[in-house]
Amino acid sequence: MALIIEDGTGVAGANSYIDVAAARAYAAARGAVLPAVDIEVEQLLIKAMDFIEAFRSEFQGLKSSASNPLQWPRVGVVLDGFPLGGDVIPQVLKDAQAQLAIDAQTTDLMPTGSGKEVVMEKVDVVQVQYAETGDTNPQPTFTKAEALLRPLLKGWAFGGSLRSTRV
């Protein structure tokens, strides 16, 4: 499946905010490496897009067009204290997609599973023991990409925080 790049005009069938060249440039500038085969980079970018799209209810504003398959462009978004045009794909969003593509090479961006950590296995009887502690829904943290996305989320329009403050 070829990438169809959303450029802010509501491109029909769009499935990415950046192309392979932009992803490679982002990676190279940070000393990271993406696969040499373009189709493999495209697959990583699609995985990154899936992760970003999962933030749909968290983004500021509203989609510019109901017919757009992606969440951006959006209207009613404030970035760094300035209103963002309804036809703009923010650079931080593009950078987050590239960072997630890098991360997707070594980590499942959206894993599923029980979250139980195996603390013992016995092969002769096939015995598995799970840790009493542990997350039942393990989700990795992608600090760089999430930091890039944070200003686009609700509550951050004017430098707000997603963390609750105890009064």
Side-chain angles (χ1 to χ4, degrees):
M1 171 182 221
L3 292 180
I4 302 170
I5 309 303
E6 173 57 63
D7 61 7
T9 61
V11 175
N15 59 9
S16 184
Y17 297 116
I18 60 172
D19 59 21
V20 171
R24 287 190 194 287
Y26 176 93
R30 287 153 183 83
V33 178
L34 287 168
V37 179
D38 285 354
I39 189 73
E40 292 175 14
V41 178
E42 290 177 3
Q43 291 167 346
L44 293 170
L45 288 169
I46 295 293
K47 289 177 182 181
M49 181 57 64
D50 291 344
F51 184 89
I52 289 170
E53 288 295 291
F55 283 87
R56 68 187 321 113
S57 66
E58 310 280 332
F59 288 127
Q60 297 178 48
L62 302 168
K63 287 173 53 169
S64 295
S65 169
S67 63
N68 188 347
L70 302 179
Q71 291 300 304
W72 292 83
R74 298 177 77 83
V75 295
V77 175
V78 176
L79 181 60
D80 298 332
F82 298 95
L84 201 62
D87 61 350
V88 173
I89 305 299
Q91 187 62 47
V92 291
L93 184 67
K94 296 175 184 182
D95 291 349
Q97 186 180 6
Q99 182 61 52
L100 286 162
I102 294 166
D103 294 341
Q105 294 178 96
T106 57
T107 306
D108 184 352
L109 299 181
M110 301 177 79
T112 57
S114 69
K116 300 287 185 175
E117 179 183 351
V118 176
V119 293
M120 180 180 74
E121 280 189 87
K122 190 172 182 180
V123 177
D124 63 334
V125 181
V126 185
Q127 181 176 348
V128 178
Q129 181 178 350
Y130 295 97
E132 292 300 317
T133 61
D135 192 347
T136 59
N137 186 15
Q139 297 295 321
T141 301
F142 303 103
T143 306
K144 289 179 185 177
E146 290 173 7
L148 291 165
L149 289 173
R150 192 170 293 128
L152 302 175
L153 304 178
K154 295 174 185 171
W156 279 85
F158 296 99
S161 174
L162 294 177
R163 297 180 185 201
S164 60
T165 304
R166 186 173 254 177
V167 185

